[in-house]
Amino acid sequence: MSYAIICSSKTGNTEKLAQRAREVLGEKGEGPVADADLVLLGSWTDKGGMDPALADSLPQLVGKRVFLFGTCGFGGSQAYYDRVLDRFAAALPEGAQVVGRFMCQGQMPPAVRERYVKMAEHDPKKFEPMIENYDRALGHPDAADLDAFEEALRGAL
Ligand SMILES: Cc1cc2nc3c(=O)[nH]c(=O)nc-3n(C[C@H](O)[C@H](O)[C@H](O)COP(=O)(O)O)c2cc1C
């Protein structure tokens, strides 16, 4: 099977999923979108949706089978993951067919925690849960996330 990967990853979390996809699908099958039976479209979550920098890559997905994947900082809620994935899907052109999707938590840079700690001095009710979320995100995507991603991907093949 021929496939293509389009992935935006600023700090490497989403790239880990893309790398697992290459291991599952084989380096040999990867090529340009035009020739691909399946396109894997991955993004980090920016303000609840896909990285806008991917916009230029989306028109070529018309007529393509697309597997959507991503990572987001806010974890622990499948409902939130689904909302973000719905936003990803809504960014696709008409005629792109979503055949599978996956989202998991991705760790955030230390500067984010430092900001939360400062904010928590003024508004602990709001920011202490965000510090807890930050700490839970550390190490993600982890081995279990990558296995769950692989399972979702295999289910779409
Ligand atoms: C500017 C900016 C905006 C973000 N917006 C969100 C968001 O709306 N929701 C969320 O859950 N995570 C958000 N995040 C967290 C990242 O999506 C998350 O850490 C992701 O795993 C980063 O993936 P990457 O390492 O592939 O870049 C944001 C991060 C940055 C830097």
Side-chain angles (χ1 to χ4, degrees):
M1 192 201 67
S2 59
Y3 68 96
I5 299 181
I6 301 170
C7 180
S8 172
S9 179
K10 290 253 189 233
T11 63
N13 296 333
T14 314
E15 186 54 36
K16 283 185 185 165
L17 302 182
Q19 200 44 46
R20 173 61 73 96
R22 288 187 182 97
E23 287 161 27
V24 171
L25 301 173
E27 304 266 350
K28 278 209 306 258
E30 188 173 2
V33 171
D35 303 336
D37 301 321
L38 177 69
V39 180
L40 288 89
L41 175 64
S43 177
W44 61 286
T45 301
D46 181 14
K47 298 177 206 75
M50 189 184 286
D51 179 359
L54 287 168
D56 288 350
S57 310
L58 302 180
Q60 55 183 331
L61 299 178
V62 174
K64 292 289 174 186
R65 300 170 70 244
V66 179
F67 185 92
L68 290 175
F69 68 100
T71 62
C72 64
F74 182 67
S77 158
Q78 188 58 48
Y80 182 74
Y81 297 159
D82 283 337
R83 257 200 326 274
V84 175
L85 285 165
D86 287 347
R87 290 272 305 276
F88 281 22
L92 296 178
E94 215 173 307
Q97 184 198 354
V98 177
V99 295
R101 35 189 246 173
F102 179 82
M103 173 75 50
C104 69
Q105 195 169 23
Q107 68 181 13
M108 292 156 281
V112 172
R113 192 182 198 282
E114 287 160 22
R115 203 169 62 235
Y116 289 164
V117 167
K118 282 210 184 83
M119 310 275 235
E121 286 169 19
H122 306 286
D123 190 351
K125 232 171 116 176
K126 178 169 176 192
F127 286 97
E128 270 164 14
M130 292 172 75
I131 294 169
E132 284 165 25
N133 176 69
Y134 175 96
D135 290 343
R136 269 197 308 274
L138 288 173
H140 288 278
D142 63 10
D145 296 325
L146 292 171
D147 287 349
F149 168 71
E150 178 172 339
E151 199 183 324
L153 179 57
R154 287 190 187 281
L157 296 179

